[in-house]
Amino acid sequence: MAEVLVYVDHLDGAVRKPTLELLTLARRIGEPVAVALGNGAADTADVLAEHGAVKVLTADAPEFADYLVVPKVDALQAAFDAVSPAAVLLSSSAEAKEIAARLAVRIGSGIITDAVDVEAGAEGVVATQSVFAASFTTKSRITHGTPVITVKPNSAPVEPVAGAGAVEELAVTFSAQATGTKVLSRTPRESTGRPELTEAAIVVSGGRGVNGAENFAVIEALADSLGAAVGASRAAVDAGWYPHTNQVGQTGKSVSPQLYIANGISGAIQHRAGMQTSKTIVAVNKDAEAPIFDLVDYGVVGDLFAVVPQLTEEINTR
Ligand code: FAD
């Protein structure tokens, strides 16, 4: 059976959920071989094996932390050369997309970004994307070389299944460009205690209807009752009510949670572009004609300041 390289997203050995989702997808195509780089790489092996990785290739060197992206591309290419995989899968993030693009150039292949599904086809791996603000679903196949595909978080379930998980150290020779861009400092973002927006299973968002930074407490309270991340429309972000890091949409983040709750958001196409692939969509809006209602699974026509606190209270009693 063909092997499939899975690039591991982890923080000091703690594997992020989107990587486990990639392992689910990789198993549909072949045998997952995980590539974990940097501090704590070896610590990822057990979790990866518990989710079906047949092999875990690890490498750690100061270059992975001290320089941007290229050392990781060098390492992924070394893994590619060692394995000759049927496909390379990465979880969609700004960094992973750059790694994927650089790798694809090096190996003379094509790249598909932000796939929402991946399957084995008669003529090779087929990736599904949701395009043009999610107005169309496309299926594409790389026709030249080994497909390099980035997959949006929350596109597949996490399925524990035992894999051999044999750990091998990967020998990496860094290229001349590896030390081209040095990282000068890292500032950890202040933790809100909420899940990362793009990885969260539930996202609760607020828009212009929230009508003020202080009123976002209502949105946050609902989010916290559900263990959800908080999102915001561009109108709310531009007004300075919520940070840009939480903006959902074309010029913000793209999310695909199990549940998306839009509060006081009209449903402009640029907002839809970032959330339309959510599995279940709920909206609270006082205007029954708001376009968001064309898209929802459940809609509540009402004032969010009346509806959302009741919802939060109800959830908190359960
Ligand atoms: P509005 O459209 O003003 O809607 C507010 C809604 O709140 C209304 O439907 C209203 O009925 C409802 N409301 C008001 N008060 C209440 C209340 N008390 N209770 C319940 N409902 C209430 N937008 C994004 O979101 N993300 C993007 O990434 C993004 N990128 C863009 C990129 C470009 C190039 C452009 C041109 C635009 C972009 N936009 C983006 C902006 C987008 O076009 C909309 O302007 C924006 O999404 C509107 O935000 P909103 O729905 O919060 O506000």
Side-chain angles (χ1 to χ4, degrees), residues 206-210 232-236 247-253 263-271 284-287 290-291 302-305:
R208 203 191 309 269
V210 175
S233 73
R234 178 160 160 182
Q247 184 178 313
V248 172
Q250 187 181 315
T251 42
K253 288 188 175 148
N263 301 288
I265 293 177
S266 62
I269 190 158
Q270 296 90 353
H271 188 80
V284 180
N285 196 305
K286 66 181 183 185
D287 176 8
D303 185 335
L304 74 90
F305 295 105

Side-chain angles (χ1 to χ4, degrees), residues 5 19 25 28 36 54-55 81 110-111 143 152 164 168 209 214 223 228 230 244 272 280 290 293-295 302:
L5 274 191
T19 297
L25 292 174
R28 292 187 196 160
V54 295
K55 205 187 287 178
D81 293 341
I111 177 174
T143 56
K152 275 188 175 185
E168 276 179 31
E214 64 287 356
V230 175
H244 180 255
R272 293 162 73 136
T280 300
F293 287 127
D294 296 341
L295 168 88

Side-chain angles (χ1 to χ4, degrees), residues 33-225:
V33 174
V35 183
L37 307 174
N39 185 39
D43 299 338
T44 63
D46 288 349
V47 171
L48 297 170
E50 286 159 14
H51 292 83
V54 295
K55 205 187 287 178
V56 182
L57 303 175
T58 66
D60 191 9
E63 282 82 351
F64 294 124
D66 292 349
Y67 297 90
L68 281 188
V69 182
V70 181
K72 293 172 181 165
V73 182
D74 291 340
L76 196 54
Q77 189 177 6
F80 179 87
D81 293 341
V83 169
S84 299
V88 183
L89 302 184
L90 304 90
S91 175
S92 288
S93 68
E95 184 183 78
K97 283 184 197 170
E98 185 174 347
I99 293 170
R102 286 174 181 264
L103 179 74
V105 170
R106 289 191 188 186
I107 65 176
S109 180
I111 177 174
I112 294 173
T113 57
D114 288 337
V116 292
D117 198 8
V118 177
E119 61 200 325
E123 293 177 77
V125 178
V126 175
T128 305
Q129 287 164 295
S130 175
V131 299
F132 299 141
S135 311
F136 292 88
T137 297
T138 62
K139 286 188 183 286
S140 346
R141 182 170 59 79
I142 303 282
T143 56
H144 187 79
T146 304
V148 180
I149 302 171
T150 78
V151 181
K152 275 188 175 185
N154 287 313
S155 294
V158 172
E159 289 172 358
V161 48
V167 184
E168 276 179 31
E169 204 162 317
L170 183 66
V172 184
T173 308
F174 292 114
S175 62
Q177 300 85 41
T179 53
T181 313
K182 192 163 175 46
V183 176
L184 298 181
S185 67
R186 287 175 199 276
T187 312
R189 229 184 305 147
E190 220 171 278
S191 171
T192 58
R194 299 190 184 99
E196 155 64 29
L197 183 57
T198 53
E199 294 174 16
I202 305 176
V203 175
V204 178
S205 284
R208 203 191 309 269
V210 175
N211 199 25
E214 64 287 356
N215 296 340
F216 257 87
V218 174
I219 305 299
E220 290 179 336
L222 177 58
D224 292 342
S225 73

